[in-house]
Amino acid sequence: MTVQKQQAKRPLRADTERTVRTILEAAERVLAANPAATMEQLARAAGVARTTVHRRFATREALLDELTGWAARQFAEAVDAARPDAAPPLVALYQVTANVLRVKTDWSFAMNRTAEDGHPEAARLHAEVRATCARLFRRAQEAGVLRPDIDLDWTRRVYYGLIHEAAKEGVEGGDADALATRVVDTLLRGAGAPSGLKAVP
């Protein structure tokens, strides 16, 4: 039985949970800069002994697996915290965007790894987030925030693309709230001037 499965069967003690979080946060920082970093480098960055890391994670792959799951949980919790099914649609859209950008900025390595590698828990959580986003976009359309004739599937994919680009700026130091405003403003208003279509023959 892996360390992760053992942890899933019983709650972690507060000190153990702090140690695990410290290791995962250090791993995120180090691996974002050097994906080939060793367990010894990760332990050094976390300020713990290598044996401590190995006691929590039997292998490097086990640590990466937990890091991926941890980031996915932060991602799902960030979306839920914005109350996407209860808050006014436009308010929820801004808050979801800002919350997601913070997670994508803070956990960029793990979030990118989620997209590339199979991880059942992360896949489930991301599917739930997509379903939540679909509901939010339907509510936004019903509330008149989005045009009644818009293709919601296409609009959501455009939105995901905007978040992806904004997250790159977030990693470079961009402010999540300002970036969220830019994403939603671009989604709802586009880049064309109001008179632009009049100029088209």
Side-chain angles (χ1 to χ4, degrees):
M1 181 180 290
T2 66
V3 172
Q4 286 69 37
K5 288 181 180 178
Q6 290 173 344
Q7 290 173 352
K9 287 183 176 296
R10 62 177 185 271
L12 294 176
R13 285 176 17 191
D15 57 340
T16 301
E17 186 173 359
R18 282 193 298 271
T19 299
V20 169
R21 183 178 180 96
T22 297
I23 293 169
L24 293 176
E25 288 176 342
E28 169 62 38
R29 289 194 309 273
V30 173
L31 292 168
N34 176 21
T38 65
M39 292 283 270
E40 185 173 352
Q41 290 172 312
L42 301 183
R44 190 180 310 124
V48 299
R50 182 175 176 177
T51 53
T52 300
V53 176
H54 278 291
R55 190 160 57 247
R56 304 301 172 207
F57 308 102
T59 65
R60 188 176 186 277
E61 189 57 35
L63 189 155
L64 292 176
D65 195 56
E66 178 59 20
L67 180 61
T68 299
W70 184 282
R73 292 190 289 275
Q74 305 309 305
F75 178 55
E77 289 170 9
V79 172
D80 287 344
R83 301 173 60 241
D85 291 316
L90 184 56
V91 173
L93 186 60
Y94 272 105
Q95 196 59 60
V96 164
T97 305
N99 290 0
V100 165
L101 284 173
R102 289 188 182 94
V103 174
K104 282 185 167 286
T105 297
D106 293 343
W107 300 90
S108 61
F109 171 83
M111 291 295 290
N112 288 333
R113 185 174 187 269
T114 298
E116 297 171 0
D117 299 313
H119 188 291
E121 182 190 18
R124 176 181 60 78
L125 290 170
H126 279 260
E128 290 176 1
V129 167
R130 286 193 296 272
T132 299
C133 189
R135 292 194 303 273
L136 174 57
F137 271 61
R138 281 196 299 272
R139 291 182 62 227
Q141 189 176 52
E142 292 165 359
V145 174
L146 297 173
R147 295 202 325 255
D149 61 334
I150 203 74
D151 182 327
L152 288 181
D153 183 60
W154 167 256
T155 304
R156 282 189 292 109
R157 283 185 282 144
V158 170
Y159 172 67
Y160 298 154
L162 290 170
I163 285 183
H164 178 73
E165 291 302 317
K168 293 179 184 177
E169 293 197 27
V171 170
E172 295 171 1
D175 177 73
D177 290 319
L179 289 170
T181 298
R182 185 186 302 176
V183 166
V184 176
D185 186 65
T186 302
L187 179 73
L188 300 182
R189 302 175 189 276
S195 60
L197 290 177
K198 297 178 182 178
V200 177

